[in-house]
């Protein structure tokens, strides 16, 4: 999801069967992560979340195991929220299309011949 790879990601998602979404454990979900998830969703690819650089939680942030676990849970929750939002937008768009479709009309009197 790095900005420098935006063009490559756009091309690759059209050719792929799935996508590995790599998120830095310290930086977490960034703007480009949103963009990549949107592209993956649009192409109907199966996303796999990979959280990279877990060692930085200990070496740089000096988190204890419980804090590190909570931090990782927040990253997973953020990614799930983005995907849930994309699903909701798609669901409501389909519902709007159904609601705006012209009503069904029946031809004839509606009586059944015996």
């Amino acid at each position: 999801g790095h900005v420098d790879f935006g063009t490559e990601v756009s091309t690759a998602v059209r050719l792929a069967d799935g996508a590995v979404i790599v998120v830095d454990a310290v930086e977490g979900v960034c703007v480009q992560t949103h963009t990549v998830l949107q592209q993956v969703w649009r192409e109907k690819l199966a996303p796999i979340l990979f959280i990279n650089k877990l060692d930085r939680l200990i070496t740089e942030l000096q988190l204890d195991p419980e804090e590190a676990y909570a931090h990782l849970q927040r990253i997973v929750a953020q990614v799930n929220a983005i995907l849930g939002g994309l699903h909701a937008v798609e669901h409501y768009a389909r519902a709007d299309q159904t609601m705006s479709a012209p009503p069904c009309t029946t031809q004839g009197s509606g009586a059944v011949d015996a």
Side-chain angles (χ1 to χ4, degrees), residues 44-59:
K44 299 185 183 341
L45 299 177
I48 298 169
L49 176 61
F50 181 83
I51 302 175
N52 197 21
K53 302 179 184 178
L54 295 175
D55 60 314
R56 292 179 64 200
L57 295 176
I58 299 164
T59 59

Side-chain angles (χ1 to χ4, degrees), residues 1 20-30 33 37 48-54 72 75-76 78-79:
V20 177
I21 309 299
V22 180
V23 176
D24 185 296
V26 172
E27 292 180 24
V29 176
C30 299
T33 310
L37 285 168
I48 298 169
L49 176 61
F50 181 83
I51 302 175
N52 197 21
K53 302 179 184 178
L54 295 175
L72 295 172
I75 292 172
V76 171
Q78 288 174 337
V79 170

